[in-house]
Each structure stands twice: as C-alpha cells, then as structure tokens.
Amino acid sequence: MPTLEIIQTVFLAIKKSREHEIRERFRLKVGCHTSTPFNNHHNFSQIARNSEYFILGDSPIDEGEITNVLRNCLQQVEYAGANFQLWNMEMRYKGQWLVDIFMELPNGCDLPELETGEITLLLTQLDANTLLFALMDQLLAMSNDHVDQIFSYAGFRRFSRTVGLNKIARMSVILRQQGNLNSDQEFLQAFERANEATDRTRIPRLHPGPLAERRFKELNEFAPLQGMLPK
C-alpha cells in the first residue's frame, strides 16, 4: 500500500475512532436514568420493527415557552463531564436561529477542542430534537477540526488551517504536468519505478487449481497482453 494511502487511512481512522467515543459520551437524562441516544450499539432490528413509535409528529411549541424548552433540554445533557447552558438566541432574517451555548467543563477535561467553553449553533427550527442533533453535529465538527490541526506526518501538519490551500493547489498542478516531469529524467525514472513498485503490490495472486487454470486460459486467448498479469 502506498505511503499516501496509509496516511489517509490512519487520518480517517483517528476521526472515526473519536466519533465513536463522542457518540458514547453524549448522555441524555431520561427520568432517573441516563442514555446515550447517539451511540451505534442500539438494536436496529428492534427499532425498525417499531419505527412508527420513533418518528416525531407535528407538535407545535408555544413561542413563549420555546426558550424554557431548549434550556431544560440542555440541562438534561452531559458530555464528557461537561454541562451545557443556554446563553443567547438570535433570529436570522431567513427564519434560522443562532443559539449560543456555554459549557461548564470539569477539571482535567480530556477533550482539548472544548477548551473555548462556548458553542454556537445554527438551527433551522426551534425544538429540542433539532437542538440535540445540531449539538452533536457541532461536537463532531469540533473533534474533526482538532484532528486536522494536530495530525502530522514527518512533522508536517498537512490538514492544518495554517497550510495555504493555494500553494497546495499550485504544487498539485505542477506535479501533474507531464512536461515538467519529462524535463528531469532522473526524477522521471524514479517516478516510474515508484509507480511500478506500487502496481506490483496490487497484482492478484491466483491459488493453484481448476479456477486458476481457467482464468489463465481465458487471458491467453487475448494474448499478447501488456501490463501486469495475475500470478
């Protein structure tokens, strides 16, 4: 596997591993109990068999009560030891709402992305369910941004916001121009050897047996073939 693909795989694996933990650490109080409604371990078959129960119907909320509804909703949430408080709400001109939330962090919080202590959400409608989904989306986005900032290879933080995208784009354009490659024969030869080495790792290997014999026979009917044939 090429180095680039290994780096990308590790990068995405870190993000998904963090997402898994975030979903499990988001807790919602239900009466005297707590639950993790965003985790990935619920019984999907059971939920699907009772799908009508889980689909929300239209239940308009009195505008005078919506602030209390959202405030009470946030008071039922606990995330990695942090608690949330509704701070401010502001309606935008297209009917969307900006919701500012203050986080009370525990001592020794192990999630650096929460250090600001503040979250701002953009809601398309004002209700508790929309608020909870938007909050989870923002927590995931903050986690991904944190990984972007600290993930590095050979000391270089490729996905950091400090990297100039125009410079990355320019480098990519230059490297993809075959004329530039042909101007340096030593580099071109090394480039071709690297590509060939990568391609050889992808050659399918057929185990001895009737199926392999049939596949080789089918390939021989198209001879002569170029490229790298199965082994």
PDB file of all heavy atoms in Angstrom, residues 48 56 64 70 96 150 156 158 215:
ATOM      1  N   ALA A  48     -36.427  -0.777  13.937  1.00  0.00           N
ATOM      2  CA  ALA A  48     -37.121  -0.813  12.654  1.00  0.00           C
ATOM      3  C   ALA A  48     -38.505  -1.441  12.780  1.00  0.00           C
ATOM      4  O   ALA A  48     -39.463  -1.011  12.128  1.00  0.00           O
ATOM      5  CB  ALA A  48     -36.282  -1.580  11.629  1.00  0.00           C
ATOM      6  N   LEU A  56     -41.189  11.435  14.893  1.00  0.00           N
ATOM      7  CA  LEU A  56     -41.851  12.546  15.552  1.00  0.00           C
ATOM      8  C   LEU A  56     -42.993  13.087  14.699  1.00  0.00           C
ATOM      9  O   LEU A  56     -42.859  13.230  13.482  1.00  0.00           O
ATOM     10  CB  LEU A  56     -40.845  13.678  15.823  1.00  0.00           C
ATOM     11  CG  LEU A  56     -39.725  13.380  16.821  1.00  0.00           C
ATOM     12  CD1 LEU A  56     -38.807  14.596  16.913  1.00  0.00           C
ATOM     13  CD2 LEU A  56     -40.298  13.044  18.185  1.00  0.00           C
ATOM     14  N   GLY A  64     -43.696  31.481  23.402  1.00  0.00           N
ATOM     15  CA  GLY A  64     -43.315  31.997  24.706  1.00  0.00           C
ATOM     16  C   GLY A  64     -42.630  30.972  25.575  1.00  0.00           C
ATOM     17  O   GLY A  64     -41.981  31.323  26.559  1.00  0.00           O
ATOM     18  N   LEU A  70     -35.871  24.688  25.371  1.00  0.00           N
ATOM     19  CA  LEU A  70     -34.479  24.454  24.964  1.00  0.00           C
ATOM     20  C   LEU A  70     -33.532  24.474  26.160  1.00  0.00           C
ATOM     21  O   LEU A  70     -32.588  23.682  26.238  1.00  0.00           O
ATOM     22  CB  LEU A  70     -34.052  25.502  23.936  1.00  0.00           C
ATOM     23  CG  LEU A  70     -34.841  25.529  22.624  1.00  0.00           C
ATOM     24  CD1 LEU A  70     -34.208  26.520  21.651  1.00  0.00           C
ATOM     25  CD2 LEU A  70     -34.937  24.156  21.993  1.00  0.00           C
ATOM     26  N   GLN A  96     -33.836  31.346  10.383  1.00  0.00           N
ATOM     27  CA  GLN A  96     -32.923  30.493  11.135  1.00  0.00           C
ATOM     28  C   GLN A  96     -32.570  31.170  12.458  1.00  0.00           C
ATOM     29  O   GLN A  96     -32.747  32.376  12.629  1.00  0.00           O
ATOM     30  CB  GLN A  96     -31.660  30.204  10.327  1.00  0.00           C
ATOM     31  CG  GLN A  96     -31.920  29.440   9.032  1.00  0.00           C
ATOM     32  CD  GLN A  96     -30.668  29.306   8.196  1.00  0.00           C
ATOM     33  OE1 GLN A  96     -29.900  30.253   8.060  1.00  0.00           O
ATOM     34  NE2 GLN A  96     -30.449  28.129   7.633  1.00  0.00           N
ATOM     35  N   ILE A 150      -3.810  18.805  14.542  1.00  0.00           N
ATOM     36  CA  ILE A 150      -2.666  18.161  15.208  1.00  0.00           C
ATOM     37  C   ILE A 150      -2.098  16.970  14.435  1.00  0.00           C
ATOM     38  O   ILE A 150      -0.980  16.540  14.708  1.00  0.00           O
ATOM     39  CB  ILE A 150      -3.049  17.698  16.630  1.00  0.00           C
ATOM     40  CG1 ILE A 150      -4.085  16.564  16.567  1.00  0.00           C
ATOM     41  CG2 ILE A 150      -3.560  18.865  17.466  1.00  0.00           C
ATOM     42  CD1 ILE A 150      -4.362  15.931  17.928  1.00  0.00           C
ATOM     43  N   PHE A 156       4.972  17.409   9.539  1.00  0.00           N
ATOM     44  CA  PHE A 156       4.183  18.383   8.767  1.00  0.00           C
ATOM     45  C   PHE A 156       2.694  18.127   8.977  1.00  0.00           C
ATOM     46  O   PHE A 156       2.204  17.014   8.777  1.00  0.00           O
ATOM     47  CB  PHE A 156       4.513  18.287   7.280  1.00  0.00           C
ATOM     48  CG  PHE A 156       3.716  19.232   6.425  1.00  0.00           C
ATOM     49  CD1 PHE A 156       3.817  20.604   6.603  1.00  0.00           C
ATOM     50  CD2 PHE A 156       2.870  18.747   5.446  1.00  0.00           C
ATOM     51  CE1 PHE A 156       3.089  21.482   5.822  1.00  0.00           C
ATOM     52  CE2 PHE A 156       2.125  19.615   4.657  1.00  0.00           C
ATOM     53  CZ  PHE A 156       2.245  20.983   4.846  1.00  0.00           C
ATOM     54  N   ARG A 158      -0.378  18.442   7.520  1.00  0.00           N
ATOM     55  CA  ARG A 158      -0.928  18.654   6.182  1.00  0.00           C
ATOM     56  C   ARG A 158      -2.328  19.261   6.181  1.00  0.00           C
ATOM     57  O   ARG A 158      -2.674  20.069   5.304  1.00  0.00           O
ATOM     58  CB  ARG A 158      -0.943  17.305   5.435  1.00  0.00           C
ATOM     59  CG  ARG A 158      -1.853  17.222   4.220  1.00  0.00           C
ATOM     60  CD  ARG A 158      -1.414  18.138   3.108  1.00  0.00           C
ATOM     61  NE  ARG A 158      -2.309  18.053   1.979  1.00  0.00           N
ATOM     62  CZ  ARG A 158      -3.432  18.747   1.853  1.00  0.00           C
ATOM     63  NH1 ARG A 158      -3.792  19.600   2.793  1.00  0.00           N
ATOM     64  NH2 ARG A 158      -4.198  18.629   0.780  1.00  0.00           N
ATOM     65  N   ARG A 215      -8.845 -19.272 -15.578  1.00  0.00           N
ATOM     66  CA  ARG A 215      -8.602 -17.837 -15.719  1.00  0.00           C
ATOM     67  C   ARG A 215      -7.385 -17.578 -16.614  1.00  0.00           C
ATOM     68  O   ARG A 215      -7.406 -16.689 -17.478  1.00  0.00           O
ATOM     69  CB  ARG A 215      -8.389 -17.201 -14.343  1.00  0.00           C
ATOM     70  CG  ARG A 215      -9.639 -17.167 -13.484  1.00  0.00           C
ATOM     71  CD  ARG A 215     -10.649 -16.175 -14.032  1.00  0.00           C
ATOM     72  NE  ARG A 215     -11.867 -16.182 -13.260  1.00  0.00           N
ATOM     73  CZ  ARG A 215     -12.977 -16.799 -13.602  1.00  0.00           C
ATOM     74  NH1 ARG A 215     -13.017 -17.473 -14.751  1.00  0.00           N
ATOM     75  NH2 ARG A 215     -14.063 -16.748 -12.860  1.00  0.00           N
TER      76      ARG A 215
END
